[in-house]
Amino acid sequence: MASSNNQLVVPQARAALQSMKMEAAQSLGVQIPADGYYGNVTSRETGSLGGYITKKLVQIAEQQLSGR
């Protein structure tokens, strides 16, 4: 599996973020590489995943800020 230079501010969130990535990939029909190498995944697909995840994180933050 490929290593990442990104460090999570809350390391305990790793599993939740991984789950969110898998949900996004399934929803968008993007295949997540089993070996972690994204070199064969198009920029459009990875950008879609990032956009989807960002949208979901903003929704979660808005819900928390509004008290729901």
Side-chain angles (χ1 to χ4, degrees), residues 5-6 15 17-18 24 27 29-30 32 34 36 40-41 43 49-50 63 66-67:
N5 292 330
N6 296 336
L17 290 170
Q18 187 65 24
S27 176
V30 175
I32 297 288
N40 298 323
V41 180
S43 296
L49 286 175
Q63 289 172 354
S66 70

Side-chain angles (χ1 to χ4, degrees), residues 26-48:
Q26 184 177 19
S27 176
L28 298 171
V30 175
Q31 286 293 111
I32 297 288
D35 61 0
Y37 175 69
Y38 281 83
N40 298 323
V41 180
T42 67
S43 296
R44 182 181 192 99
E45 290 173 329
T46 56
S48 294

